[in-house]
Amino acid sequence: MEKKINIKSLKRFQNWMSKWNNPSLGLWDYAAYNSNPDLLLSIISILYPNTIEYENCIILEKSFDKENFASWKKESYTNTQIECVLNHLHIYDLFNNQEEGEEEHCLENLEYLGKIIIKFWKVALTDKYPNKTFEFVFSNEGNDYGPTIYFFQK
């Protein structure tokens, strides 16, 4: 059975729904009501990110800095290790503008979100680099800052 979003744990959505008193409304309606092109294109930049190919590494553009990359190389890190570090995303980092009391998120939904972003990244990287093979990792281990995703070349 396909994993679904735990809608009951979405506090802002539930609050919005209570104002409309229309049970036929759903997440698409909520997104359309609250979105704008700037926001949607910003979200797409997370789901289908720009990347850079540099010294046989594929790096998220937002994470790439030549001097930083050179320092990793100087410390004898492998390309795989560098890619793992520079291509990681802590799901919590997507929510920097939370209102007071909103720190608690449904872990089930955050894990779902991480796994869905990986699906989008697979499409993006396959489109951009059809001759390369990537490994995608989802982790929610105790040593991570919540659900974390990353990719590297095989």
Side-chain angles (χ1 to χ4, degrees):
M1 177 176 241
E2 183 183 358
K3 177 82 174 118
K4 295 193 178 186
I5 299 167
N6 181 342
I7 293 177
K8 299 232 183 283
S9 71
L10 302 177
K11 295 174 186 173
R12 289 183 184 191
F13 172 73
Q14 292 300 329
N15 185 42
W16 180 81
M17 284 291 290
S18 69
K19 292 177 184 176
W20 289 98
N21 196 24
N22 181 348
S24 69
L25 295 176
L27 290 174
W28 279 40
D29 304 293
Y30 176 72
Y33 183 83
N34 288 289
S35 192
N36 58 65
D38 292 0
L39 177 61
L40 192 51
L41 289 167
S42 298
I43 292 169
I44 287 171
S45 77
I46 295 167
L47 300 177
Y48 199 95
N50 290 328
T51 55
I52 292 176
E53 187 168 5
Y54 186 76
E55 293 189 21
N56 296 317
C57 288
I58 305 298
I59 307 293
L60 291 172
E61 184 180 68
K62 76 165 200 70
S63 302
F64 182 74
D65 176 273
K66 279 186 183 180
E67 291 162 7
N68 183 37
F69 187 92
S71 71
W72 286 97
K73 281 291 203 180
K74 186 177 179 181
E75 295 293 323
S76 299
Y77 285 94
T78 67
N79 284 356
T80 298
Q81 290 171 318
I82 293 169
E83 286 180 333
C84 287
V85 171
L86 296 180
N87 294 329
H88 82 278
L89 170 65
H90 298 285
I91 301 302
Y92 288 139
D93 289 344
L94 295 173
F95 310 107
N96 291 327
N97 190 26
Q98 296 300 291
E99 294 177 12
E100 188 70 31
E102 282 191 328
E103 292 79 24
E104 292 297 318
H105 299 283
C106 175
L107 184 58
E108 177 184 14
N109 282 342
L110 295 178
E111 289 176 347
Y112 175 77
L113 181 59
K115 291 173 182 176
I116 292 297
I117 292 172
I118 284 176
K119 288 183 179 192
F120 279 95
W121 283 5
K122 285 179 180 178
V123 169
L125 292 171
T126 300
D127 283 354
K128 294 175 184 188
Y129 307 101
N131 297 323
K132 296 188 181 290
T133 306
F134 296 91
E135 183 75 24
F136 298 85
V137 179
F138 170 87
S139 175
N140 194 17
E141 302 299 320
N143 58 347
D144 283 329
Y145 169 58
T148 303
I149 60 175
Y150 59 95
F151 68 88
F152 58 93
Q153 292 180 79
K154 285 187 183 178

